[in-house]
Amino acid sequence: MTSSTPSRTAGQPVVTLTMNPAIDLCWEVGRLEGVGKNRARVRSVAVGGGGINVARHVARFGGRATAVHTAGGEVGLRVNRLLDEEGIDHVAVDIVDDTREALVLFETQSRRSFHVVPPGPRLHRREGERCLDVLQRLVTGSPSYVVASGSLPAGLPDDYYAAVARRVGEAGSRLVLDTSGPALPAALAEGVFLFRCNRTEAESLTGHPVSGFDDARALNERLLTTGAAEIAVTTLGALGALCSTEHGHTELHAPPLPGEPLSDAGAGDSMVAALTTRLAAGEDPVSACALGVATAAAAMLTPSTEPFDVEVARSLRPQVRTATRG
């Protein structure tokens, strides 16, 4: 287990959990050819995974963030070294199997990105328990926002994020959940502070297409009335997002992009980071969500998984139109 020195900035601390991180190797090619060699240039090498991405962006917005993550094998050692070099406060939980590596190909002619991601390691149950223990120790006695983001690796039970929700609640902290797949229903049955989903995840919960604000409202209303979440945020791509609390539903319409959209790969994590940073600073959910929508738009302007421009995100914030529906 390793840790770097925590940052010192304003607001409640944010702790993120990444059970299945990856090293993202981003290569740039002129155009992918089916015959012969494709000559590539290394564009970037960075650690990715939902919670790590969120922690990175929380720090860029001036918040305090610590990333809890797994790390296994030689790739895991490189994960720790890269995070240390980047200055991200983190706690690594050692696992037996190797951490995964992912490949991002950016084709300069078409301005398209291709993200190739393997499933990752298989975790033993005791490794999952160690992550829960580390997380609980970090937040006990220091009320925090905890962001559980990204997929679960093989080997962990479907109710793992439900166990995270219980541990976080027992410690007096608030859980922000951003995940999909079999782990989602059990976590929502346990109840979380804030749940963010995109249209694909929303459709998995409703069983039918979620194409606009009315569809999102029906889902968010159900999440609130069943106690699945105190705050529900459903994102709707280019339309924006719907933020719902006990006080009502607010449509947040995405701002016009000042440039060509290049990739939506990092939009969700970027939004969650901005939203959580502002909540941790004491801002109300709707206002925090507005910065999240602006940040997701800014992320669309960067290729592959590269970080968005913080100043662009802030400049787009006043252009996010809101409409309260009660």
Side-chain angles (χ1 to χ4, degrees), residues 196-202 210 216 220 233-242 268 271 289 293 296:
R196 193 230 49 130
C197 64
N198 59 27
R199 277 190 285 204
T200 300
E201 293 147 5
V210 175
N220 287 8
V233 177
T234 298
T235 57
L236 299 164
L239 292 177
L242 183 74
M271 179 188 192
C289 195
V293 170

Side-chain angles (χ1 to χ4, degrees), residues 49 61 78 115 117-118 135 139 171 182 203 219 237 243 252 281 315 320:
F61 271 120
R78 192 180 188 193
H115 204 169
V117 186
L135 179 66
V139 299
E203 289 168 9
L219 170 61
C243 179
L252 298 108
S315 71
V320 176

Side-chain angles (χ1 to χ4, degrees), residues 91-122:
V91 179
V93 179
D94 295 334
I95 60 173
V96 173
D97 288 354
D98 283 351
T99 298
R100 60 184 175 167
E101 291 180 297
L103 178 62
V104 182
L105 286 174
F106 180 64
E107 194 178 56
T108 57
Q109 274 195 20
S110 65
R111 307 288 287 171
R112 292 186 301 169
S113 294
F114 303 87
H115 204 169
V116 186
V117 186
R122 183 178 187 85

Side-chain angles (χ1 to χ4, degrees), residues 145-167:
Y145 282 84
V146 177
V147 179
S149 179
S151 62
L152 287 179
L156 295 182
D158 290 345
D159 65 351
Y160 188 80
Y161 278 142
V164 171
R166 285 192 294 274
R167 296 282 191 108

Side-chain angles (χ1 to χ4, degrees), residues 61-288:
F61 271 120
R64 293 185 292 164
T66 300
V68 176
H69 62 92
T70 58
E74 291 297 321
V75 180
L77 294 175
R78 192 180 188 193
V79 164
N80 291 331
R81 186 173 69 253
L82 287 170
L83 291 175
D84 287 341
E85 290 172 355
E86 195 176 341
I88 294 177
D89 183 45
H90 68 105
V91 179
V93 179
D94 295 334
I95 60 173
V96 173
D97 288 354
D98 283 351
T99 298
R100 60 184 175 167
E101 291 180 297
L103 178 62
V104 182
L105 286 174
F106 180 64
E107 194 178 56
T108 57
Q109 274 195 20
S110 65
R111 307 288 287 171
R112 292 186 301 169
S113 294
F114 303 87
H115 204 169
V116 186
V117 186
R122 183 178 187 85
L123 263 64
H124 301 286
R125 186 175 290 268
R126 65 180 179 275
E127 294 170 335
E129 286 293 326
R130 285 211 307 271
C131 291
L132 291 175
D133 292 342
V134 168
L135 179 66
Q136 188 166 17
R137 283 201 300 271
L138 281 174
V139 299
T140 296
S142 177
S144 310
Y145 282 84
V146 177
V147 179
S149 179
S151 62
L152 287 179
L156 295 182
D158 290 345
D159 65 351
Y160 188 80
Y161 278 142
V164 171
R166 285 192 294 274
R167 296 282 191 108
V168 170
E170 290 167 1
S173 292
R174 293 170 164 176
L175 179 63
V176 176
L177 181 67
D178 182 13
T179 191
S180 60
L184 184 51
L188 294 178
E190 183 67 30
V192 302
F193 174 67
L194 186 150
F195 173 57
R196 193 230 49 130
C197 64
N198 59 27
R199 277 190 285 204
T200 300
E201 293 147 5
E203 289 168 9
S204 75
L205 293 172
T206 62
H208 57 76
V210 175
S211 57
F213 288 107
D214 290 341
D215 297 325
R217 176 170 178 160
L219 170 61
N220 287 8
E221 187 72 44
R222 191 178 85 189
L223 292 168
L224 296 180
T225 56
T226 59
E230 295 179 40
I231 302 170
V233 177
T234 298
T235 57
L236 299 164
L239 292 177
L242 183 74
C243 179
S244 303
T245 70
E246 62 179 349
H247 302 297
H249 306 273
T250 302
E251 298 174 3
L252 298 108
H253 296 263
L257 293 179
E260 177 189 0
L262 297 178
S263 173
D264 64 354
D269 293 339
S270 301
M271 179 188 192
V272 170
L275 169 59
T276 307
T277 303
R278 297 317 306 157
L279 288 173
E283 202 163 297
D284 68 273
V286 171
S287 182

Side-chain angles (χ1 to χ4, degrees), residues 60 298-299 302 307-314:
R60 295 176 70 227
T302 60
F308 61 89
D309 187 313
V310 171
E311 292 311 312
V312 170
R314 288 177 172 145

